[in-house]
Amino acid sequence: MSPGILGKKIGMTQIFRPDGQVVPVTLLKAGPCMVVQRKTPSTDGYDAVQLGLVEFIKPQRINKPTAGRLKKAGVEGAKFMREFPLGPGSDDLKTGDKVLVDQFKPKDKVDVIGISKGKGFAGVVKRHHFRGGEGSHGSMFHRAPGSIGASSFPSRVVPGMRMGGHLGNAQVTVRNLEVIDVDTEDNVLVVKGAVPGPNGGYVLVRRSKR
Amino acid sequence: MQNALLTKYINKNKREAAFPEFRPGDTIKVHVKIKEGEKERLQAFEGVLIARNGMGMGESITVRKVSFGQGVERIFPINAKVVDHIDIVRTGRVRRAKLYYLRALKGKAARLKERE
């Protein structure tokens, strides 16, 4: 059994559970993936499996070393490749093996890792959820960070002070999302809740550890 | 643009095909499942469909009736499991999608002509 799968975010919608409860869901196009490389302690020093999301890619977009690696594994084309660590003793995945969504079933728990949407230079209200000040009533304090340090002691800004800066476009992990539905025909994995990144963004789905 | 797979998934889960085709202005009867203790029964709400809101899984309809001289409106999420089935009682000819103007009309003025 594969420790995870690679995919693309399709978009969000909502569905109704049999008991009538409405659930927000994200659809992921998960797989088909293939094992590009199987790393073993004897050759690489650690146990891992490298998966590639099989999709069309122009041959001139792959550099020669990657093309050689893909050819060796029998993979037609892959833009997105990621490694999953394997525990000792799990040796059922070989190079060239296929990994499909049927690995997952409803009620499974998964973690989804993706690159969040970039927000550019964001102020402290958006970036760190500062409350900001009143909008009106003569308030002259709106979205500013306020004091960032006292004057005589320590007379400097302590390291790690939360300020404005670049927000988003960073790796984000969402843990323990419930698998709601699996469509093996279209390779669609439906998970409960939101997933980082834009629609069409690459995501890594792995089995939750706890 | 919505992804084709997303559209396919929504259409698979939508219940639109299970209902007769209704439009704003139609008088419809919405049968809603109601749980009373252990037992489940159907309750009907009959009135004029004055608005369809949203699309996809979140689509809802607003139904208005006048009960003992008091206007009552109920909003039903049509894809929800609580809506058992919908009957069309009579059709109505209207010229707009949202019939909020009916709220200001009473009695004879609030009647709608039948659609051919």
Side-chain angles (χ1 to χ4, degrees), chain B residues 1-15:
Chain B
M1 246 293 281
Q2 203 174 46
N3 185 296
L5 284 172
L6 182 59
T7 313
K8 192 176 167 186
Y9 187 76
I10 291 172
N11 287 337
K12 199 176 80 186
N13 284 283
K14 239 170 35 170
R15 293 175 64 211

Side-chain angles (χ1 to χ4, degrees), chain A residues 33-85:
Chain A
C33 290
M34 277 176 102
V35 178
V36 177
Q37 201 180 346
R38 177 77 173 82
K39 300 206 168 175
T40 54
S42 54
T43 54
D44 307 279
Y46 63 101
D47 228 358
V49 61
Q50 193 178 78
L51 295 184
L53 180 64
V54 178
E55 60 186 330
F56 174 75
I57 175 168
K58 285 184 181 172
Q60 67 265 34
R61 299 250 185 258
I62 322 179
N63 61 23
K64 276 186 183 168
T66 313
R69 258 157 41 82
L70 291 177
K71 203 180 165 193
K72 213 165 134 191
V75 183
E76 276 162 39
K79 286 182 201 170
F80 184 58
M81 283 175 265
R82 286 292 181 272
E83 223 170 81
F84 291 87

Side-chain angles (χ1 to χ4, degrees), chain B residues 9-79:
Chain B
Y9 187 76
I10 291 172
N11 287 337
K12 199 176 80 186
N13 284 283
K14 239 170 35 170
R15 293 175 64 211
E16 200 161 351
F19 302 131
E21 203 181 304
F22 45 74
R23 286 200 232 162
D26 293 354
T27 304
I28 59 172
K29 207 168 185 175
V30 184
H31 298 264
V32 191
K33 281 184 211 152
I34 292 205
K35 262 209 177 101
E36 282 175 336
E38 299 282 284
K39 272 169 112 191
E40 213 180 55
R41 65 177 186 91
L42 291 180
Q43 190 186 57
F45 187 90
E46 186 179 330
V48 182
L49 174 61
I50 61 166
R52 287 184 81 148
N53 279 304
M55 53 183 273
M57 291 304 290
E59 184 176 354
S60 63
I61 55 174
T62 307
V63 183
R64 176 184 170 84
K65 76 168 173 185
V66 178
S67 170
F68 301 106
Q70 183 68 49
V72 180
E73 281 179 21
R74 257 186 97 169
I75 300 168
F76 298 99
I78 62 170
N79 287 304

Side-chain angles (χ1 to χ4, degrees), chain A residues 10-18 20 25 27 29 180-181 183 185-186 188 190, chain B residues 2-6 8-10 12-13 35 56-59 77 79-82:
Chain A
I10 296 174
M12 289 191 77
T13 181
Q14 53 186 32
I15 59 160
F16 290 86
R17 284 216 163 123
V25 294
L27 269 64
K29 179 159 173 49
I180 300 287
D181 203 354
D183 184 348
E185 196 183 312
D186 288 325
V188 170
V190 182
Chain B
Q2 203 174 46
N3 185 296
L5 284 172
L6 182 59
K8 192 176 167 186
Y9 187 76
I10 291 172
K12 199 176 80 186
N13 284 283
K35 262 209 177 101
M57 291 304 290
E59 184 176 354
N79 287 304
K81 300 260 155 54
V82 286

